Amino acid sequence: MKLMAGNSNLPLARDIAAYLELPLTDASVRRFADQEIFVEIHENVRGEDVFVIQSTSAPANDNLMELLICIDALRRASAKRITAVLPYFGYARQDRKPGPRTPISAKLVANLITQAGADRVLAVDLHAGQIQGFFDIPTDNLYGAPVMAADILERTGGQNLMVVSPDVGGVVRARALSKRINDAPLSIVDKRRDKPGVSEVMNIIGDVKGWDCILIDDIIDSGGTLCNAAAALMEAGANSVTAYLTHGVLSGNAVERVTNSALKELVITDSIQPTEATQASPKIRTLPLAPLIGEAIRRIADESSVSSLFD
Ligand code: R5P
């Protein structure tokens, strides 16, 4: 087995390598003067089971292209099996046509990764489970919920918790977390979004008064969904609101927004490399994914069960 890393999240790739007690494959991913990407693998990978770790986070197009070129280089170097490890799968939110004459870019990106030569995909908390079906190759979707649940139980002792989904679409995810924290009760924020990038909280389904609310979602991007939900919950009498999100996209002034929000704390994972601003925020904490991803890689390489990681 070999591990290869693109440049999008080297700290996570190094942590996965440390978990597996394997070195990262000696390779260079460079730019020509005109910004074309060039990949060179400096060791033999012929016949190897290779895992390429790359989040297609911002700059999404550059990181995606880097991934495709790494896969191409491995395929042409006769790697036996190539697994694209995508701690964060950018473009996932474009998984349906929101209107006439619009693309389904998540499917296009899945096609590109497959056509480049990937044999398998390993992803984390895909925006929608059915994106697995966009890939015509075996795709494992890991869940961040066990990592989050362990942290919640350790920090709170599991007392007085209510799990809240910030929108109707996230109820399945919220229910899965609730099961792991003593079947905590559920509430839903009924969110209406008038135009992209602007979110508006309309209604809370459930009585949150006096509860310590755990907001759960897959992605925080502008922070609008989460910060508005937190404000609405506090207004409705919640005792506190803490948020757990897998992918800290945190674009624009999202970090500032979170820092100034009603949230007690925002807990994200390192599926996307945290920026300096994120690390400096007193309200944001990062959970490591390396043990989960590393263990899944080990099991794929050993041909053993990945789903049993979540039993
Ligand atoms: C939406 O379906 C996602 O699950 C997130 O709620 C959304 O992408 C968050 O975006 P923002 O932080 O910009 O409100």
Side-chain angles (χ1 to χ4, degrees):
M1 180 202 339
K2 283 199 183 278
L3 295 177
M4 183 169 162
N7 284 311
S8 69
N9 195 344
L10 277 171
L12 175 60
R14 289 191 189 111
D15 289 350
I16 293 171
Y19 178 87
L20 290 167
E21 298 178 347
L22 273 179
L24 287 173
T25 297
D26 185 11
S28 49
V29 182
R30 292 185 282 121
R31 305 270 155 160
F32 289 132
D34 64 355
Q35 295 306 300
E36 280 185 9
I37 296 163
F38 179 66
V39 172
E40 205 169 359
I41 303 166
H42 304 297
E43 60 186 86
N44 181 30
V45 292
R46 193 177 289 273
E48 296 280 1
D49 189 8
V50 188
F51 294 80
V52 192
I53 304 161
Q54 175 82 328
S55 285
T56 51
S57 48
N61 302 327
D62 283 357
N63 285 333
L64 172 62
M65 199 62 202
E66 211 180 273
L67 171 68
L68 299 175
I69 293 175
C70 286
I71 294 171
D72 187 71
L74 288 165
R75 185 168 57 95
R76 292 175 194 283
S78 304
K80 183 182 71 192
R81 184 171 70 167
I82 303 165
T83 300
V85 181
L86 308 169
Y88 172 67
F89 177 52
Y91 281 101
R93 283 174 288 177
Q94 296 187 48
D95 60 353
R96 69 178 80 91
K97 287 183 71 169
R101 297 172 297 282
T102 55
I104 304 180
S105 306
K107 172 61 181 158
L108 171 66
V109 172
N111 285 347
L112 289 171
I113 292 171
T114 310
Q115 285 305 313
D119 298 294
R120 308 184 57 92
V121 167
L122 176 60
V124 181
D125 275 337
L126 285 168
H127 178 59
Q130 54 269 34
I131 292 173
Q132 271 180 294
F134 286 12
F135 292 92
D136 290 328
I137 49 179
T139 300
D140 291 296
N141 182 24
L142 304 178
Y143 303 111
V147 178
M148 294 173 180
D151 188 74
I152 293 167
L153 292 174
E154 188 192 316
R155 298 248 159 186
T156 66
Q159 299 302 310
N160 197 46
L161 299 178
M162 177 175 276
V163 178
V164 183
S165 171
D167 55 33
V168 177
V171 175
V172 172
R173 185 177 295 115
R175 197 180 296 132
L177 179 69
S178 136
K179 272 192 195 156
R180 291 179 182 271
I181 50 173
N182 309 331
D183 281 315
L186 281 182
S187 282
I188 304 165
V189 178
D190 177 27
K191 174 188 77 170
R192 305 277 156 95
R193 196 192 286 268
D194 291 336
K195 50 183 176 177
V198 179
S199 79
E200 209 184 339
V201 173
M202 299 296 290
N203 210 353
I204 295 170
I205 304 168
D207 184 3
V208 298
K209 205 165 182 204
W211 291 92
D212 291 308
C213 293
I214 304 287
L215 265 169
I216 169 116
D217 206 350
D218 60 333
I219 296 171
I220 176 166
D221 189 345
S222 68
T225 304
L226 209 66
C227 295
N228 290 345
L233 292 167
M234 289 305 286
E235 218 166 282
N239 191 43
S240 69
V241 184
T242 303
Y244 280 77
L245 281 287
T246 312
H247 307 297
V249 173
L250 294 165
S251 55
N253 66 347
V255 171
E256 197 185 331
R257 199 170 190 173
V258 167
T259 307
N260 298 326
S261 74
L263 283 169
K264 183 176 165 196
E265 188 178 35
L266 166 65
V267 184
I268 54 175
T269 76
D270 56 359
S271 67
I272 296 171
Q273 186 178 343
T275 60
E276 278 179 21
T278 302
Q279 285 169 331
S281 170
K283 274 203 185 166
I284 306 179
R285 189 159 57 86
T286 307
L287 297 176
L289 280 182
L292 177 69
I293 298 177
E295 189 54 35
I297 289 175
R298 187 200 308 280
R299 290 177 185 215
I300 291 169
D302 290 351
E303 310 281 354
S304 62
S305 168
V306 170
S307 65
S308 58
L309 264 174
F310 304 100
D311 289 344

